[in-house]
Amino acid sequence: MEVIRGLKRLNLWRAAWVVCVSTLFAGTTLAAELKGEVTEPDVISAERFSRDVSAFYLGFGAGYGANGSDRFGLRTPTGVFDIGDQDVRGGYFSMRGGWRGVVPTSLGRDYVYGIELGYDVGNLSDTVSTQIGGDTVTGRTEISDMFHVQLRNGLTNRSGRVLYFVSVGYIWGQVDTTSSISSTFSSQLFEESDRRGGYTASIGAEHKLNDNWSITGEYQYVQFESKTVEFGSGFSTKSTPGYRGLRFGLNYTF
């Protein structure tokens, strides 16, 4: 009987050992399988300007300019006459293209810099007049066909979808200057056209809609250089046109 009991105890110990070893190997195998199957999940983030580390874009827009200030005076062989203050105004259509680079910063925002070329089609003008003696004297200035080159830079918001920018640059446009003197018995008309340079500055924002498209809005300041316009026969005027503009547009990034 003692022998039988001893054999039973031995068999129980063997069974326990087999169970422990089997459990150990099963746990090791399961851990290895789990380790092999675990992968990092894909992270989906909002579109950012930093996706375009270096990119070209084309765009178009429309704007309206006003609130310029230029005093129109007419110099004649007999003296200088003040005709009035001009406020050139009108709408224009813009086409533009440019390049920009992006530098991610440690602040969670992107620094964006670049250069832009543009062409504005439209007419901004104003006419003033006054009575001098028995004559009606008028002065008119018209601005059209403006080319510009601008340096642009700014920072995005933390989501990277909105760019706040400032721009400064050079503008070159067509300036037509006209003056006339009319009386009951006669009329004189003076006209002069010239291409003239100036400077422009703007502040605005650009909002990304998706990888390619974005909308823009900006406030512009445009000032052309001062020039003495010679009409001939001793008649002349000093012209310094400028305006403030509000422009909205759409850009496509390649």
Side-chain angles (χ1 to χ4, degrees), residues 46-90:
E47 308 296 348
R48 297 180 63 90
F49 276 87
S50 58
R51 289 177 63 109
D52 304 318
V53 177
S54 176
F56 290 92
Y57 63 92
L58 293 175
F60 61 90
Y64 185 83
N67 298 323
S69 180
D70 183 24
R71 181 173 293 274
F72 196 103
L74 182 64
R75 180 180 295 275
T76 72
T78 59
V80 179
F81 300 96
D82 184 12
I83 301 177
D85 292 326
Q86 288 187 325
D87 176 11
V88 295
R89 58 181 59 222

Side-chain angles (χ1 to χ4, degrees), residues 25-234:
F25 276 99
T28 304
T29 303
L30 180 60
E33 291 177 354
L34 288 174
K35 184 177 180 180
E37 293 177 357
V38 174
T39 58
E40 291 293 333
D42 294 332
V43 178
I44 300 175
S45 60
E47 308 296 348
R48 297 180 63 90
F49 276 87
S50 58
R51 289 177 63 109
D52 304 318
V53 177
S54 176
F56 290 92
Y57 63 92
L58 293 175
F60 61 90
Y64 185 83
N67 298 323
S69 180
D70 183 24
R71 181 173 293 274
F72 196 103
L74 182 64
R75 180 180 295 275
T76 72
T78 59
V80 179
F81 300 96
D82 184 12
I83 301 177
D85 292 326
Q86 288 187 325
D87 176 11
V88 295
R89 58 181 59 222
Y92 53 94
F93 177 79
S94 299
M95 296 173 286
R96 60 191 174 215
W99 171 91
R100 62 172 161 237
V102 181
V103 178
T105 70
S106 59
L107 302 176
R109 303 171 184 267
D110 299 329
Y111 172 68
V112 181
Y113 63 96
I115 186 171
E116 180 179 283
L117 303 175
Y119 174 56
D120 296 339
V121 182
N123 292 294
L124 293 88
S125 62
D126 190 27
T127 302
V128 291
S129 63
T130 188
Q131 291 292 128
I132 300 177
D135 299 331
T136 301
V137 182
T138 65
R140 176 179 173 82
T141 299
E142 181 176 315
I143 305 171
S144 61
D145 297 329
M146 293 166 284
F147 294 89
H148 72 260
V149 55
Q150 291 180 301
L151 298 177
R152 175 169 293 185
N153 67 99
L155 287 173
T156 68
N157 64 349
R158 291 191 178 276
S159 71
R161 296 178 65 87
V162 180
L163 169 66
Y164 302 100
F165 62 84
V166 294
S167 301
V168 292
Y170 180 80
I171 192 167
W172 192 53
Q174 178 79 22
V175 180
D176 298 325
T177 309
T178 306
S179 184
S180 65
I181 302 174
S182 300
S183 64
T184 306
F185 304 103
S186 65
S187 178
Q188 290 179 291
L189 178 64
F190 308 99
E191 294 179 301
E192 185 65 29
S193 297
D194 64 274
R195 301 292 300 183
R196 197 179 309 181
Y199 65 90
T200 177
S202 65
I203 182 172
E206 182 173 357
H207 183 273
K208 285 185 74 70
L209 301 175
N210 52 43
D211 279 350
N212 301 109
W213 292 100
S214 59
I215 55 175
T216 66
E218 60 186 306
Y219 177 77
Q220 296 178 289
Y221 176 82
V222 177
Q223 183 64 61
F224 286 91
E225 65 184 31
S226 180
K227 181 178 180 179
T228 298
V229 179
E230 299 285 350
F231 293 122
S233 302

